[in-house]
């Protein structure tokens, strides 16, 4: 009786060993091949699951470390755009995006400080202007009185009194006329001349003043009203008067064309006793008095310095240089 016949399928796998004529052969049955294929498929599936898991983990991690912080930073920027400048410590993380959050908080803080400083500067500017306006008076009755004194002094042959009352009348008119804070250099020098004329009678003619103006064009330059008179007054009362002898004041004006711009420079020099560094700092930094019966004492050097800085910027203003003079 012949032996039973069955069909057997086998697979030959050949792999070259890299040398001529040398090969590695393996014969696998169908069952073995299917089993290895299943193992490979399981391995591939496991690799895919691991890759997908890592991908999901990376997506969640990026969302937590990048997307969410960026969204919170954008939300903070939107708040700043709508006027909310409060500090948000929740965006100050300990990584690179946290540095951006800290920078945004610092920027918001600086903006608030800048706005507050701007408001304070505007308020201080308005206060300075108000002090000028508050000190102005209606001098109609004074004009009439001074005109009467002038007329009487002329009749009685006292030209000095007539000249002084005329200068005082012009000075009071300058104090009270108009609300403009800027006048020409020519007008300001006229005010200084009237003020100094009155002081000359007070000091018995022992003081003199000279003017050196670089060109006629400078007379039309605009400067703050009552910006030179307080400096001349300071030179008289704190420079020349303590000296106890005659004194001289020199007013110079010239054009400075340095640094690509054209500025008006004015210097007022006296040959008085000089000022210490502490006194200079006190004069420049002293706040203007809120109430004062003396208009010219109220509109002092500190007031003038602040008005100039508010109008033209911090690089402008008054500087004082002094040295002690030798005894007369």
């Amino acid at each position: 009786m012949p032996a039973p016949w069955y069909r057997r399928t086998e697979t030959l796998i050949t792999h070259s060993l890299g040398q001529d004529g040398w090969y590695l052969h393996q014969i696998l049955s169908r069952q073995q091949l299917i089993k290895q294929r299943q193992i490979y498929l399981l391995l591939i599936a496991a690799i895919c699951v691991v890759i997908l898991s890592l991908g999901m983990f990376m997506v969640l991690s990026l969302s937590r470390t990048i997307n969410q912080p960026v969204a919170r930073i954008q939300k903070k920027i939107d708040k700043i755009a709508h006027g909310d400048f409060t500090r948000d410590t929740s965006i100050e993380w300990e990584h690179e995006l946290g540095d951006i959050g800290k920078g945004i908080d610092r920027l918001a803080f600086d903006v608030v400080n800048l706005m507050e400083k701007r408001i304070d500067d505007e308020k201080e500017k308005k206060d300075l202007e108000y002090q000028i306006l508050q000190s102005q008076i209606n001098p109609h009755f004074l004009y009439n009185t001074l005109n009467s004194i002038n007329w009487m002094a002329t009749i009685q042959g006292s030209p000095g009194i007539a000249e002084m009352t005329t200068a005082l009348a012009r000075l009071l008119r300058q104090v009270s006329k108009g609300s403009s804070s800027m006048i020409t250099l020519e007008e300001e020098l006229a005010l200084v001349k009237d003020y100094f004329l009155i002081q000359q009678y007070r000091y018995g003619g022992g003081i003199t003043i000279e003017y050196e103006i670089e060109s006629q064009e400078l007379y039309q330059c605009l400067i703050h009203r009552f910006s030179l008179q307080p400096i001349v007054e300071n030179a008289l009362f704190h420079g020349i008067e303590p000296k106890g002898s005659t004194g001289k004041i020199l007013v110079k004006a010239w054009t400075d064309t340095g640094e690509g711009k054209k500025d008006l420079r004015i210097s007022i020099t006296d040959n008085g006793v000089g000022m210490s560094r502490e006194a200079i700092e006190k004069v420049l930094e002293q706040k203007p008095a809120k109430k004062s019966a003396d208009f010219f004492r109220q509109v002092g050097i500190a007031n003038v310095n602040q008005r100039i800085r508010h109008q033209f910027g911090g690089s402008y203003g008054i500087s004082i240089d002094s040295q002690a003079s030798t005894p007369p």
Side-chain angles (χ1 to χ4, degrees), residues 7 31 101 114 117 140-141 152 182 225 232 266 326-327:
R7 184 177 180 182
Q31 291 78 10
L114 181 61
K117 185 178 184 301
H140 293 304
F141 75 99
M152 292 175 63
M182 304 293 289
R225 185 191 299 271
V232 172
I266 301 175
T326 57

Side-chain angles (χ1 to χ4, degrees), residues 287-300:
K287 296 296 183 180
K290 294 183 178 179
K291 294 182 180 179
S292 175
D294 189 340
F295 172 80
F296 295 113
R297 295 285 183 174
Q298 184 176 3
V299 187

Side-chain angles (χ1 to χ4, degrees), residues 153-179:
T154 302
I155 291 177
Q156 295 178 8
S158 302
I161 297 177
E163 188 178 17
M164 186 167 61
T165 53
T166 301
L168 181 57
R170 288 196 300 262
L171 195 60
L172 290 174
R173 188 177 291 110
Q174 284 290 337
V175 171
S176 60
K177 77 173 186 179
S179 58

Side-chain angles (χ1 to χ4, degrees), residues 293-308:
D294 189 340
F295 172 80
F296 295 113
R297 295 285 183 174
Q298 184 176 3
V299 187
I301 293 180
N303 186 297
V304 174
N305 190 39
Q306 291 180 40
R307 282 190 289 153
I308 294 174

Side-chain angles (χ1 to χ4, degrees), residues 110-181:
D110 292 340
V111 169
V112 171
N113 285 342
L114 181 61
M115 293 173 60
E116 292 178 350
K117 185 178 184 301
R118 182 64 177 173
I119 292 173
D120 291 341
D121 288 344
E122 289 296 326
K123 182 178 181 299
E124 188 174 2
K125 181 179 179 181
K126 294 298 181 183
D127 290 342
L128 293 173
E129 293 174 352
Y130 177 72
Q131 288 175 14
I132 299 293
L133 297 175
Q134 189 180 41
S135 299
Q136 293 178 350
I137 59 176
N138 187 350
H140 293 304
F141 75 99
L142 290 177
Y143 293 157
N144 294 333
T145 303
L146 291 172
N147 287 332
S148 298
I149 296 173
N150 187 13
W151 176 73
M152 292 175 63
T154 302
I155 291 177
Q156 295 178 8
S158 302
I161 297 177
E163 188 178 17
M164 186 167 61
T165 53
T166 301
L168 181 57
R170 288 196 300 262
L171 195 60
L172 290 174
R173 188 177 291 110
Q174 284 290 337
V175 171
S176 60
K177 77 173 186 179
S179 58
S180 175
S181 62

